[in-house]
Amino acid sequence: MGMIFEKKLTIPMEVKEMYPVSAKMSQIVDKRAIEIKNIFSGKDDRKILIIGPCSADNEDSVIDYISRLREVQEKVKDKIFIIPRIYTGKPRTTGAGYKGILHQPDPNGKPDVFKGIIATREIHMRALKETEFSCADEMLYPENYRYIDDLLAYVAVGARSVENQQHRLVASGIDVPVGMKNPTSGVLSVMFNAITAAQNKHSFIYRNWAVHSEGNPFAHAILRGYTTKQGHANPNYHYEDLVFLKDMYAQYNLENPACIVDTNHANSGKDPYQQPRIVEEVLHSCKVNSGINKLVKGFMIESYIEDGAQAIGDGIYGKSITDACLGWKKSERLIYDIADTL
């Protein structure tokens, strides 16, 4: 019974020394970070597109997908800034199902978290090296952020983590924009409390260190819809929702008011084929209301090579084993449609 302490893992810097980034890779990360911050601060009016698989379940197919994004990015770079999703941890409410690339099995099929940490760093490094994309990841486990903090362009805090104190504190010390999702209940004050905490300075314990954070001025809102007590999915991306969000921002003393609209999850009722329609509606709201246009910095889209989802073990290349995704052809068309609209 209780926890069994198997072994002490290496400290973050040892992992980074085992798998170091080159000077060129660091320059790419730094350059992209500046561009992203300029978008969130309003100095750059491009829209951000955080797009990719629900979870990074296979390194080769994920890199294949991101390589395709690179070709598209060059064609829309004047209007859209693409941040690929490489989500290496998958939150599980019940603990069942695929938990992400972090939970790599050993030869006996038992999870080997050290192997998973290495796999997490390797896939982000490979994306950066082969495609020159620094990517987004979800901060499911705050203590693991240090293993990949020199590789990321964007960090998301999920709907079930946004109320957690450690997530909020760690977010306050992150150097790139952190998106705080509204909780599954839909109560926006919870999300705003998280953003406020992340934008402020804190002193706390992190990985057995006493640390001080300076606050993250680019912490912001992600609208992902919510679930009623009866279990029904309700969206929060409509015009009235965005006006309400803008008005709520006016009540808080926050820097760089910003919102990313998550077009899947409860906003789509987990129907990935609704995502283009949702993007179209939000862009229309941006056109008719300059305040909304200034607030909405972009979209989060779940997309992969193949449409839909599959069961673990089906072995279909480039098809999600978690939430269903929009396939490549539809996703490519969507990106070009967004660019044409902007």
Side-chain angles (χ1 to χ4, degrees):
M1 300 296 292
M3 288 189 291
I4 300 172
F5 291 82
E6 295 181 336
K7 59 183 178 180
K8 187 175 182 179
L9 300 182
T10 57
I11 61 173
M13 285 307 297
E14 289 178 345
V15 173
K16 292 177 180 177
E17 288 166 1
M18 292 165 60
Y19 299 88
V21 297
S22 66
K24 180 182 178 182
M25 293 164 72
S26 292
Q27 289 172 359
I28 294 170
V29 172
D30 292 344
K31 180 178 181 297
R32 281 173 58 80
I34 292 171
E35 291 183 86
I36 295 166
K37 289 176 181 178
N38 283 342
I39 294 172
F40 275 100
S41 67
K43 296 177 183 177
D44 185 332
D45 62 1
R46 287 180 292 173
K47 297 296 185 187
I48 287 174
L49 200 57
I50 303 162
I51 184 169
C54 172
S55 56
D57 52 14
N58 178 283
E59 181 175 318
D60 288 338
S61 58
V62 169
I63 298 301
D64 179 356
Y65 172 88
I66 295 174
S67 298
R68 302 181 191 199
L69 282 179
R70 169 47 63 193
E71 296 181 18
V72 176
Q73 172 68 101
E74 292 307 309
K75 298 177 181 179
V76 299
K77 61 184 179 182
D78 292 337
K79 296 183 178 181
I80 298 172
F81 188 95
I82 293 177
I83 306 175
R85 287 169 53 114
I86 300 183
Y87 279 25
T88 55
K90 177 66 180 175
R92 287 302 189 187
T93 305
T94 63
Y98 182 69
K99 295 181 180 179
I101 201 170
L102 180 66
H103 296 264
Q104 292 291 296
D106 64 16
N108 298 316
K110 184 179 180 181
D112 183 336
V113 290
F114 180 73
K115 183 179 178 182
I117 287 168
I118 298 301
T120 294
R121 185 163 179 83
E122 284 186 322
I123 191 170
H124 276 285
M125 287 186 66
R126 186 176 169 191
L128 185 58
K129 184 177 181 180
E130 296 183 20
T131 70
E132 297 192 350
F133 272 130
S134 53
C135 299
D137 205 338
E138 180 175 350
M139 189 170 63
L140 183 57
Y141 309 111
E143 62 272 20
N144 291 339
Y145 171 71
R146 283 286 293 160
Y147 293 117
I148 53 174
D149 63 351
D150 55 339
L151 299 167
L152 296 182
Y154 182 92
V155 174
V157 174
R160 296 164 188 82
S161 302
V162 73
E163 293 190 68
N164 181 268
Q165 183 76 353
Q166 194 73 352
H167 283 81
R168 295 177 175 188
L169 296 178
V170 173
S172 72
I174 290 177
D175 290 330
V176 297
V178 176
M180 298 289 190
K181 289 196 174 186
N182 65 261
T184 54
S185 66
V187 180
L188 296 189
S189 61
V190 171
M191 176 184 70
F192 273 99
N193 288 340
I195 298 169
T196 301
Q199 289 202 3
N200 279 290
K201 300 179 180 180
H202 299 280
S203 295
F204 57 101
I205 297 172
Y206 181 65
R207 302 189 62 88
N208 294 323
W209 286 79
V211 299
H212 178 78
S213 64
E214 288 298 313
N216 185 343
F218 299 102
H220 60 276
I222 301 177
L223 295 182
R224 49 88 71 197
Y226 62 98
T227 305
T228 68
K229 62 182 180 180
Q230 290 83 19
H232 302 303
N234 277 0
N236 59 6
Y237 62 84
H238 295 309
Y239 181 87
E240 294 79 8
D241 297 306
L242 297 173
V243 169
F244 185 75
L245 182 71
K246 182 171 67 70
D247 292 343
M248 279 198 75
Y249 254 117
Q251 299 173 26
Y252 286 77
N253 185 27
L254 294 169
E255 296 185 69
N256 304 308
C259 168
I260 295 290
V261 176
D262 180 344
T263 61
N264 211 8
H265 296 99
N267 269 334
S268 68
K270 288 197 173 182
D271 178 356
Y273 308 114
Q274 297 299 316
Q275 293 182 111
R277 177 189 59 78
I278 293 168
V279 169
E280 182 181 5
E281 179 178 329
V282 173
L283 288 177
H284 177 72
S285 297
C286 290
K287 278 193 171 184
V288 299
N289 187 317
S290 61
I292 290 176
N293 186 51
K294 184 178 179 181
L295 182 69
V296 175
K297 302 302 181 182
F299 301 93
M300 184 172 284
I301 295 170
E302 293 199 337
S303 160
Y304 211 176
I305 295 172
E306 299 295 335
D307 284 323
Q310 63 179 320
I312 296 176
D314 284 356
I316 301 173
Y317 180 83
K319 192 170 188 177
S320 177
I321 60 172
T322 48
D323 289 352
C325 294
L326 196 68
W328 173 251
K329 291 182 179 179
K330 295 182 180 68
S331 300
E332 183 181 27
R333 182 67 264 159
L334 173 58
I335 297 171
Y336 291 138
D337 287 345
I338 293 172
D340 290 342
T341 302
L342 293 175

